Amino acid sequence: MPSLDIRRPHRLSAAEAHAVIDQVATRMREKFQVQTQWQNDSTLSFERPGISGKIAIGSDEIHVSAQLGMLFSPLKGMIEQEIRRKLDEHFS
């Protein structure tokens, strides 16, 4: 099963980073019908059939990890590129 492991440095406060990830989660729910849930103040889990993962907010880094099922395996490159683009947009 393919996986994604993307890390992006950031200089935001924990509250600012949390707010940005909330915006990203809203977009994920609207665009991809992903279920999201905060596990604690610093980790958002997301899931839908064929994809599950987490976005963790560290003091100086955002870490996105995900497992892709067979249906999404061929789209790994496109999914990874979109995640990187969004992280660059919000955390550069």
Side-chain angles (χ1 to χ4, degrees), residues 48-66:
R48 68 160 281 163
I51 300 176
S52 64
K54 296 178 182 177
I55 303 173
I57 303 169
S59 61
D60 62 354
E61 178 181 78
I62 301 297
H63 180 207
V64 179
S65 58

Side-chain angles (χ1 to χ4, degrees), residues 21-68:
I21 297 303
D22 263 341
Q23 291 174 358
V24 170
T26 297
R27 178 84 170 132
M28 290 169 62
R29 287 189 300 270
E30 292 170 354
K31 189 172 182 179
F32 303 111
Q33 293 76 48
V34 173
Q35 300 292 321
T36 63
Q37 181 176 354
W38 284 99
Q39 294 179 334
N40 52 48
D41 284 341
S42 63
T43 304
L44 177 83
S45 63
F46 58 90
E47 188 171 5
R48 68 160 281 163
I51 300 176
S52 64
K54 296 178 182 177
I55 303 173
I57 303 169
S59 61
D60 62 354
E61 178 181 78
I62 301 297
H63 180 207
V64 179
S65 58
Q67 297 293 318
L68 305 178

